[in-house]
């Protein structure tokens, strides 16, 4: 049974999946962190793999950029393949002046400037949050491994380029510490389906200072983020 975007057979995808935005990141994770990875998808080059980590089955697949893309892939993984734990491993831009490049964030909540939640016809504003079990476990794993993490609120935006220069200041005034483009849709899809989701992010650039990550440092911190994510399987 295939979906419009995933050709895997039922059972090919583990209950726990790591979701980087970049499909080549998914390939890198599969090749460097999983044992015996087997590719289950290549439609639109959105590569997906299943292997094991410390003996437990884990999958990894790209989501593409933005909430529509994340919305499609997470929906199909949940509803057609029975995935129960969806862990985004991505990057974000810092809105807070307290964040440094490469800091690791556990996104407890996600705000948005998108209309993604309109589909649920709620009579108010939906607060998208991580599932507590994954969030709590991720924090415990980080503490055990002596990896510093920051837990808090982020923005999932439809925009990478904004006409206004001070958008980050407005969100920062509400203690929203960083921006990415996918978590809100992931959290909505997971909540509506009654499954678990968490976004773990590393700071790749700062909207406050204008600093940008170098590939080498990014790699080191990325490994720490993966160490946390993989223990959640
Ligand atoms: N904006 C949106 N998404 C991002 C950014 C950003 O500055 N950095 C990493 N993901």
């Amino acid at each position: 049974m295939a979906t419009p975007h995933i050709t895997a057979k039922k059972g090919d995808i583990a209950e726990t999946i790591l979701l980087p935005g970049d499909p080549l990141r998914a390939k890198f994770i599969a090749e460097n962190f999983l044992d015996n990875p087997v590719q289950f998808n290549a439609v639109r080059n959105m590569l997906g793999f299943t292997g094991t980590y410390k003996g437990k089955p884990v999958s990894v697949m790209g989501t593409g950029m933005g909430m529509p893309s994340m919305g499609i892939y997470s929906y199909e993984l949940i509803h057609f393949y029975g995935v129960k734990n969806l862990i985004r491993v991505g990057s974000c831009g810092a809105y807070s002046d307290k964040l440094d490049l490469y800091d690791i964030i556990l996104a407890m909540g996600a705000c948005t400037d998108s209309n993604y939640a309109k589909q649920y016809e709620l009579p108010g504003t939906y607060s998208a949050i991580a599932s507590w079990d994954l969030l709590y476990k991720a924090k415990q794993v980080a503490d055990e491994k002596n990896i510093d993490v920051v837990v808090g609120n982020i923005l999932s935006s439809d925009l990478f380029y904004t006409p206004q220069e001070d958008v980050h200041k407005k969100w920062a005034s509400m203690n929203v510490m960083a921006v990415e483009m996918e978590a809100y849709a992931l959290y909505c899809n997971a909540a509506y389906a009654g499954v678990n989701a968490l976004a773990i992010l590393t700071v790749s650039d700062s909207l406050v200072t204008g600093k940008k990550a170098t590939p080498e440092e990014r790699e080191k911190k990325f490994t720490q983020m993966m160490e946390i994510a993989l223990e959640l399987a």
Side-chain angles (χ1 to χ4, degrees):
M1 173 217 55
T3 69
H5 311 96
I6 306 175
T7 50
K9 293 189 295 298
K10 207 161 173 103
D12 283 353
I13 306 180
E15 280 199 355
T16 299
I17 192 162
L18 309 188
L19 300 170
D22 177 356
L24 290 180
R25 250 305 127 112
K27 187 165 188 268
F28 178 87
I29 292 167
E31 286 171 354
N32 290 280
F33 294 92
L34 300 186
D35 294 321
N36 308 314
V38 176
Q39 188 175 320
F40 64 73
N41 194 57
V43 180
R44 289 178 185 248
N45 283 327
M46 201 55 83
L47 306 176
F49 305 82
T50 299
T52 58
Y53 179 76
K54 295 186 180 171
K56 291 183 192 158
V58 188
S59 295
V60 57
M61 182 178 170
T63 63
M65 290 182 284
M67 286 175 268
S69 191
M70 169 59 92
I72 290 169
Y73 290 110
S74 57
Y75 187 97
E76 292 183 1
L77 289 167
I78 294 166
H79 293 280
F80 298 97
Y81 292 100
V83 175
K84 301 288 183 218
N85 302 303
L86 298 96
I87 302 152
R88 164 161 158 70
V89 284
S91 63
C92 63
Y95 275 180
S96 163
D97 57 10
K98 295 191 187 71
L99 285 175
D100 285 323
L101 290 185
Y102 319 113
D103 280 355
I104 298 174
I105 295 175
L106 306 180
M108 181 158 65
C111 307
T112 197
D113 54 20
S114 101
N115 265 333
Y116 194 83
K118 201 164 176 236
Q119 61 181 307
Y120 306 111
E121 300 182 332
L122 301 167
T125 306
Y126 180 68
S127 297
I129 58 168
S131 47
W132 170 250
D133 286 352
L134 288 179
L135 179 64
Y136 184 64
K137 200 167 166 201
K139 175 71 172 114
Q140 281 184 316
V141 170
D143 288 349
E144 280 161 20
K145 292 179 178 287
N146 275 317
I147 300 171
D148 285 332
V149 293
V150 187
V151 183
N153 211 353
I154 60 153
L155 172 70
S156 298
S157 180
D158 278 341
L159 303 171
F160 187 86
Y161 300 105
T162 56
Q164 296 82 19
E165 277 174 13
D166 59 350
V167 182
H168 65 279
K169 292 185 189 151
K170 294 182 180 162
W171 287 106
S173 75
M174 286 297 284
N175 213 12
V176 173
M177 58 177 138
V179 60
E180 50 84 88
M181 305 183 76
E182 295 83 16
Y184 189 90
L186 174 64
Y187 287 1
C188 283
N189 276 1
Y192 196 71
V195 300
N196 306 309
L198 173 67
I200 309 178
L201 308 165
T202 54
V203 176
S204 61
D205 55 277
S206 170
L207 284 292
V208 186
T209 63
K211 283 190 206 157
K212 286 185 181 14
T214 61
E216 304 78 48
E217 274 293 319
R218 218 194 257 215
E219 207 58 55
K220 195 171 87 197
K221 280 292 177 175
F222 179 77
T223 300
Q224 291 190 337
M225 177 168 71
M226 292 310 306
E227 283 175 25
I228 300 173
L230 285 163
E231 291 293 341
L232 302 177

